[in-house]
Amino acid sequence: MTTPRSFRAHVALTAQVEAPPMWSGAYESVGEFFAVALAAEGAQRFEPVPGNEWVRPGFAGAIAYRDPAAVGDVFAFALAVYVEGDVTVYRFPRIEDAARAGRLWAAGLI
């Protein structure tokens, strides 16, 4: 199997759902999002690179983490993506899948 080279392709192959629901207004800023989300043990932070044509640093970010509420669930790892007040949480079976999705997203390889 070849490794997907885009966020959407990787999500389509590895995530529980390709297009999970989005929540609006949960956080006032990307800083608040990071402050809350990084509290999860082993969380990995992703910020858009300056050349990312989809999102800008300071307005978006992502966190890969183990979801403590998903005990016993096959999709126990998550990538939470914050973009200008909206949060989308993608669920994965392995932390490596969530982290790879975060790296692809941050690089703008959508």
Side-chain angles (χ1 to χ4, degrees):
M1 178 175 105
T2 57
T3 303
R5 304 235 186 258
S6 76
F7 174 78
R8 288 186 182 137
H10 180 70
V11 166
L13 286 174
T14 61
Q16 181 180 28
V17 178
E18 237 179 290
M22 181 185 310
W23 292 283
S24 294
Y27 303 98
E28 292 294 319
S29 68
V30 70
E32 181 186 358
F33 167 75
F34 280 139
V36 172
L38 283 172
E41 184 178 334
Q44 298 176 47
R45 176 180 176 155
F46 303 96
E47 294 185 69
V49 297
N52 186 326
E53 66 184 62
W54 297 95
V55 291
R56 296 186 333 227
F59 294 95
I63 301 286
Y65 62 97
R66 180 181 191 89
D67 185 351
V71 174
D73 191 340
V74 172
F75 295 93
F77 300 94
L79 178 73
V81 177
Y82 172 94
V83 179
E84 296 183 9
D86 297 327
V87 177
T88 305
V89 179
Y90 300 87
R91 303 217 172 266
F92 298 90
R94 303 177 321 140
I95 189 63
E96 295 85 2
D97 293 328
R100 176 156 177 77
R103 288 189 298 277
L104 290 166
W105 175 86
L109 300 173
I110 304 299

